[in-house]
Structure formats: structure tokens, C-alpha cells
């Protein structure tokens, strides 16, 4: 293994971060192993499952398929940054809780970050077909999706007019 | 992944000179093909040259009867561009069929055509519309660009900067998805622009994307699905794997071509 490392500076959940990393470091490794933000999960590591989805400059991105060094200057939002630490849950998180949109919870951070991005792009009135199409890149092995779809529709409605819609940007 | 050093040039010229210095170096666009390949150690470039800081490589512009898309333009930006939706609606739609929303936020048109995956969507659009691929060195016609599966006419140190699309009169794309990967098991792109008629097929051929001249000839007489009735292509040279036999793929080419022509002329698919 080459000993070369490089520095990268970016913003994570509103805080400036600088890290010295092996160039091979994926964004998800920077988050989990360097910053100890373990809410972002790795389900597949092959870009398929969506457990690792975070927002990069406001857009849903699979953090297992981006290098940390590609993100110098970028703004990253993870599940930890969605709601204030001591405040209430984000409306989309609350909708997943309320609608029993999770069982083991492994896919949930990626589902929620994908859902918030979906609202940004498609608005607050999401029909079932749209939600299912948009979840193409998110796999859940537990729920059968039914309650996830319900939760996203409810969360999208609840986000209407809240600053939560803006916080995701 | 094998170890590499990482570079972020500011200009195409700097990127090209880095590439010229090391033939094994690789350009990094959206990384949504290259990084998975590197994780599998199927690729091990000693240097990665990230194109994302270079000004002017992303963007969409229409001038007269042609539409130009920068190499670093993300699939999502093509999908949602009002300019593309108006000029070549099928191209916007095709970009929206690639992968999932997160993949479309990163993946680029330049990366897709440079990679020339035999099951990818953009190569069918490029060949099916007769685009011109513009590099830092020259302009390459689509007919000369795609030279075989995962191979193109690009030379070492050659960088795609943009793709120039002539605006067709009619065009449509039919994608029959592989149920596991969601790439095209077979995809057929048809277009008509004056007397230039093109039928391009992705997913089926063992040599990557190709044109079907027999279909094109038949459509010259009349641009209608009826002109292709009963027509098929030989199974020779088609891919065969656990997802579908060569005969099945050859059959799908005929079916999807008829559906695409029907869609292009505004009839519902037969
Ligand atoms: C889960 C998933 C699903 C997908 N589904 C589909 C699908 O349904 N259909 C489909 O078509 N694709 C699909 N893809 C592939 C996706 O579209 C890729 O983004 C695309 O093929 C490669 O683009 P990129 O920008 O990510 O390129 P990269 O991975 O960065 O690069 C790919 C190759 O192109 C070279 N390259 C990149 N830019 C240039 C340039 N400007 N000039 C010269 N060479 C260059 C690189 O050196 C590399 O060899 C999928 C990918 C994933 C991960
Ligand atoms: S861990 Fe990134 S998509 Fe599965
Ligand atoms: S809740 Fe277990 S994988 Fe989705």
C-alpha cells in the first residue's frame, strides 16, 4: 500500500471539516471511520442498495461511490444533520416512525435521505407510483416497501411549508 | 482498490498533459463506472484525473438545429433540462431511464460514451441520432466512435469535451430492462431527420452498439412500424447469457424497433 495521503476540506452537517486521507477513501469511510458519523450505512458497497445515500451539495448521492477527495469544497448532509440534535425529528423521520416505515432500520437512513431529496425534486404531493419509481436505487430487505411508501407520502406532505424542506439544501 | 494518486486539474489542457505523461492514468468523471471497477480491481490506474473542477465541461446549449451537451453534464441535468425536453424529448427521457436518482446525480454523458458499455443507453442515442463527439483533439462521428464493446476511437490523452446532437424530426427509444441490473437487455433507438433514418441497438450485440441497415432501408420507404412487420435480424453476433439467448435478443430487436417507430410517429405501441 502506498503511503501517500492528501488533505481534503469540506462541510459536513454545517461544520467545516479537514481530513488527511488515503486517496482511496470513499466518502462513506470519511463519514463513518474518520468523523464517526455511523448513521450512514454500507449495505452493498457496489452502488446498488442506497443504504449509504447522503446529500452532496443538496443532491442524493451514494457515498460508497464517491471519493472523499472528489468533494473538496462540497457541502455534505447526513442523517445526523437532518434535525437539530436536541430538537424534534425531521418531518420525514417522524413519518417513518409514525407509519412503521422500518423494521431492522439498516436501510432507513438512506431511505430518508432519498425521500427528502425526492421532495426537493418532485414536490410535496407524491403518488405511490412516483415514490416506487424513485426508490429504484434503495433496497429494503425487511418491510416489503409498503410502509416506506406510506411514510414517504406522509413525510412529503408534512414537509410542506416547513423550513425542513430548506434545511435539506 | 489499488493505490493511486489523485489530481484535480483546472483546464482540459492540464488534464491532457497529465494523461500524456502516464498512459495508465485514468480520467474520473462521475465515477459511477470507474470506481466500482476499481473496487473490483478490474482497473488499477496509478493516477486518477478528476475532471470536475474544469470550467465549461458541463452545460447544455441549443443553436439552430443542433444541441450541444458538455461531457461532464450529469444524467439528471439532461433529464430535467427544459432545452433538451423541448429539442429532443426522447433524449431527456432516456437520461431519466439510467440507473436511479442518485446514479443520475453523478453519472455523466462523457463517462458513459467513453466507457461504451455494451448495455448502456447513451451509446444507442448517440449512434441513433448520428451525433458528433468533440474531443480536445478533433471531431468524431458516432459511426466511427463506437468501435466495439468497451472500446472507442479515443486515443490515449484524448478527452471528450462535448457531444453535438443534430435535432431529429422524429425519434424514440425503447428499453427492455434486464430485471436484475436494470441496464438494457436490449434497447432500440430510432430516428428520422430528412432522409437520414437510423436504427441503433444496444444490449444485444456482442460487439456493443450497432445499426440495423436492413431496418433502416425498410423504413426509408415508409417510416411506419408496418414497414418492419415480420422483420428480424440474425442471431449470429448477438449476446447470449443467463439473462437471454442470442435468439431471444434478436427477436427483441425486431419487437422493440417496431414499438420505437410507433412511438416516434405518435402511435401507441403495438
Ligand atoms: C447502480 C448503477 C446503475 C446504472 N444503470 C445504468 C443504466 O441503466 N444505463 C446506463 O447506460 N448506465 C447505467 N449505469 C452507468 C452510469 O450511467 C455511469 O455513470 C456511466 O456509465 C459512466 O459515467 P461516469 O461519469 O460515472 O464515468 P466514470 O465512471 O467517471 O468514467 C467511465 C470511463 O470513462 C472515462 N471518461 C470519463 N469521462 C471522460 C471524458 N470526458 N473523456 C474521455 N474519457 C472519459 C473514464 O476514464 C472511465 O474509463 C449505472 C451505474 C450504476 C452504479
Ligand atoms: S452501500 Fe452504497 S449503494 Fe449500497
Ligand atoms: S428495515 Fe431492514 S432493510 Fe429496510
Amino acid at each position: 500500500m502506498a503511503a501517500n495521503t492528501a488533505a481534503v476540506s469540506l462541510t459536513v452537517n454545517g461544520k467545516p471539516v479537514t481530513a488527511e486521507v488515503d486517496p482511496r477513501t470513499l466518502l462513506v469511510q470519511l463519514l463513518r471511520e474518520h468523523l464517526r458519523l455511523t448513521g450512514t450505512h454500507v449495505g452493498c458497497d457496489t452502488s446498488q442498495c442506497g443504504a449509504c445515500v447522503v446529500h452532496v451539495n443538496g443532491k442524493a448521492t451514494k457515498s460508497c461511490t464517491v471519493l472523499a477527495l472528489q468533494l473538496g469544497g462540497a457541502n455534505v448532509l447526513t442523517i445526523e444533520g437532518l434535525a437539530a440534535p436536541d430538537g424534534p425529528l425531521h418531518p420525514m423521520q417522524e413519518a417513518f416512525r409514525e407509519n412503521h416505515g422500518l423494521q431492522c432500520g439498516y436501510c432507513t437512513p438512506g431511505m430518508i435521505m432519498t425521500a427528502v431529496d425526492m421532495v426537493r425534486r418532485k414536490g410535496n404531493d407524491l403518488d405511490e407510483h412516483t415514490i416506487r419509481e424513485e426508490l429504484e436505487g434503495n433496497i429494503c430487505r425487511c418491510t416489503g416497501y409498503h410502509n416506506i411508501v406510506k411514510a414517504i407520502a406522509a413525510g412529503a406532505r408534512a414537509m410542506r411549508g416547513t423550513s425542513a424542506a430548506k434545511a435539506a439544501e | 482498490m489499488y493505490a493511486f494518486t489523485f489530481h484535480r486539474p483546472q483546464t482540459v489542457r492540464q488534464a491532457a498533459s497529465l494523461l500524456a505523461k502516464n498512459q495508465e492514468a485514468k480520467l474520473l468523471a462521475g465515477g459511477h463506472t470507474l470506481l466500482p471497477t476499481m473496487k473490483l480491481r478490474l482497473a488499477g490506474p496509478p493516477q486518477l484525473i478528476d475532471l470536475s473542477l474544469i470550467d465549461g465541461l458541463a452545460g447544455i446549449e441549443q443553436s439552430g438545429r443542433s444541441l450541444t451537451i458538455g461531457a461532464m453534464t450529469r444524467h439528471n441535468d439532461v433529464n430535467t433540462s427544459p432545452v433538451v425536453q423541448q429539442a429532443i424529448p426522447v433524449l431527456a427521457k432516456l437520461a431519466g431511464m439510467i440507473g436511479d436518482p442518485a446514479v443520475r446525480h453523478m453519472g455523466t454523458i462523457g463517462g458513459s460514451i467513453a466507457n461504451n458499455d455494451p448495455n448502456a443507453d447513451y451509446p444507442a442515442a448517440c449512434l441513433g441520432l448520428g451525433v458528433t463527439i468533440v474531443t480536445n483533439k478533433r471531431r468524431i462521428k458516432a459511426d466511427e466512435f463506437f468501435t466495439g464493446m468497451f472500446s472507442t476511437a479515443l486515443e490515449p490523452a484524448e478527452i471528450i469535451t462535448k457531444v453535438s446532437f443534430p435535432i431529429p424530426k422524429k425519434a424514440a427509444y425503447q428499453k427492455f430492462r434486464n430485471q436484475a441490473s436494470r441496464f438494457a437487455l436490449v434497447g432500440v433507438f430510432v430516428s428520422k431527420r430528412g432522409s437520414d433514418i437510423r436504427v441503433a441497438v444496444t444490449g444485444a450485440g456482442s460487439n456493443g452498439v450497432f445499426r440495423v441497415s436492413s431496418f433502416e432501408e425498410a423504413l426509408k420507404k415508409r417510416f411506419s412500424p408496418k414497414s418492419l412487420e415480420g422483420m428480424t435480424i440474425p442471431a449470429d453476433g448477438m449476446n447470449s447469457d443467463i439473462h437471454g439467448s442470442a435468439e431471444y435478443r434478436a427477436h427483441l430487436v425486431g419487437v422493440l424497433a417496431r414499438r420505437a417507430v410507433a412511438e416516434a410517429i405518435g402511435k401507441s405501441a403495438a
Side-chain angles (χ1 to χ4, degrees):
Chain A
M1 171 188 148
N4 81 85
T5 62
V8 59
S9 297
L10 66 165
T11 305
V12 178
N13 298 334
K15 294 194 200 83
V17 168
T18 298
E20 189 71 29
V21 296
D22 180 309
R24 290 174 284 190
T25 308
L26 301 166
L27 171 59
V28 70
Q29 291 171 310
L30 177 78
L31 294 171
R32 291 180 56 86
E33 294 164 24
H34 294 244
L35 305 176
R36 299 286 169 199
L37 293 170
T38 53
T40 302
H41 297 164
V42 176
C44 66
D45 201 26
T46 54
S47 325
Q48 262 102 27
C49 76
C52 65
V53 169
V54 300
H55 295 179
V56 174
N57 298 327
K59 294 175 179 169
T61 304
K62 289 178 165 173
S63 63
C64 74
T65 315
V66 194
L67 297 169
L69 292 183
Q70 284 175 271
L71 299 178
N75 197 346
V76 173
L77 182 76
T78 72
I79 190 75
E80 289 91 345
L82 207 50
D86 308 319
L89 292 176
H90 180 282
M92 190 60 77
Q93 291 173 307
E94 182 57 34
F96 269 69
R97 195 187 65 81
E98 187 64 31
N99 289 279
H100 199 57
L102 59 147
Q103 287 177 27
C104 79
Y106 201 88
C107 69
T108 314
M111 288 285 178
I112 288 177
M113 297 313 280
T114 298
V116 173
D117 178 73
M118 200 186 298
V119 176
R120 173 183 69 84
R121 290 180 295 107
K122 302 271 167 179
N124 296 84
D125 293 308
L126 297 171
D127 59 38
E128 179 180 342
H129 180 77
T130 305
I131 296 172
R132 287 183 184 272
E133 288 282 324
E134 287 282 319
L135 288 181
E136 166 107 30
N138 293 75
I139 293 173
C140 175
R141 295 280 83 158
C142 300
T143 63
Y145 301 97
H146 185 75
N147 286 354
I148 291 178
V149 174
K150 260 173 53 186
I152 293 176
R157 284 193 300 272
M159 279 172 67
R160 195 191 309 275
T162 64
S163 59
K166 292 227 171 60
E169 282 163 16
Chain B
M1 279 189 233
Y2 293 111
F4 55 84
T5 57
F6 190 78
H7 304 265
R8 296 190 101 186
Q10 309 272 340
T11 63
V12 172
R13 192 182 282 264
Q14 285 169 8
S17 90
L18 282 165
L19 260 187
K21 275 189 213 124
N22 191 339
Q23 304 264 311
E24 311 257 293
K26 273 205 175 286
L27 299 171
L28 180 68
H32 270 52
T33 293
L34 186 52
L35 294 175
T37 316
M38 287 168 64
K39 286 183 184 182
L40 293 169
R41 294 195 164 183
L42 294 172
Q47 296 183 341
L48 273 190
I49 304 164
D50 178 16
L51 298 177
S52 67
L53 288 192
I54 300 178
D55 265 346
L57 273 189
I60 295 164
E61 230 175 79
Q62 185 180 348
S63 82
R65 300 299 296 161
S66 104
L67 181 76
T68 304
I69 302 184
M72 283 296 286
T73 311
R74 315 281 171 175
H75 306 330
N76 181 63
D77 295 330
V78 174
N79 175 229
T80 56
S81 157
V83 177
V84 181
Q85 285 169 354
Q86 207 265 321
I88 315 181
V90 56
L91 188 61
K93 194 170 149 199
L94 174 144
M97 293 180 187
I98 300 175
D100 58 58
V103 168
R104 295 195 287 272
H105 283 149
M106 288 301 289
T108 68
I109 185 167
S112 177
I113 61 179
N115 190 51
N116 195 15
D117 185 299
N119 297 91
D121 298 302
Y122 268 133
C126 289
L127 193 60
L129 288 167
V131 304
T132 302
I133 289 134
V134 183
T135 75
N136 57 332
K137 297 187 172 167
R138 57 188 168 138
R139 302 168 65 85
I140 312 171
K141 294 252 173 265
D143 287 304
E144 275 99 56
F145 183 84
F146 299 105
T147 53
M149 120 148 83
F150 294 112
S151 90
T152 66
L154 288 174
E155 289 165 2
E158 190 162 18
I159 300 172
I160 300 171
T161 55
K162 54 193 176 190
V163 184
S164 170
F165 290 82
I167 296 175
K169 194 134 194 279
K170 296 179 172 133
Y173 179 59
Q174 285 281 326
K175 175 175 181 175
F176 191 89
R177 285 186 168 86
N178 175 319
Q179 286 306 317
S181 77
R182 314 290 284 160
F183 273 71
L185 184 72
V186 177
V188 179
F189 197 106
V190 300
S191 80
K192 175 173 166 51
R193 186 170 55 97
S195 60
D196 189 17
I197 288 175
R198 287 171 170 262
V199 177
V201 177
T202 188
S206 49
N207 234 343
V209 64
F210 65 94
R211 285 173 70 179
V212 188
S213 49
S214 59
F215 286 17
E216 292 173 355
E217 286 307 316
L219 290 169
K220 266 181 197 148
K221 292 181 198 112
R222 191 165 152 234
F223 195 77
S224 151
K226 284 214 166 57
S227 308
L228 300 179
E229 221 155 79
M231 286 186 79
T232 149
I233 62 168
D236 281 0
M238 295 297 109
N239 267 334
S240 188
D241 55 29
I242 54 164
H243 305 294
S245 64
E247 290 73 22
Y248 181 56
R249 282 183 162 89
H251 174 72
L252 278 181
V253 171
V255 173
L256 296 176
R258 284 187 285 278
R259 287 185 189 169
V261 175
E263 190 186 320
I265 61 173
K267 290 206 175 131
S268 64

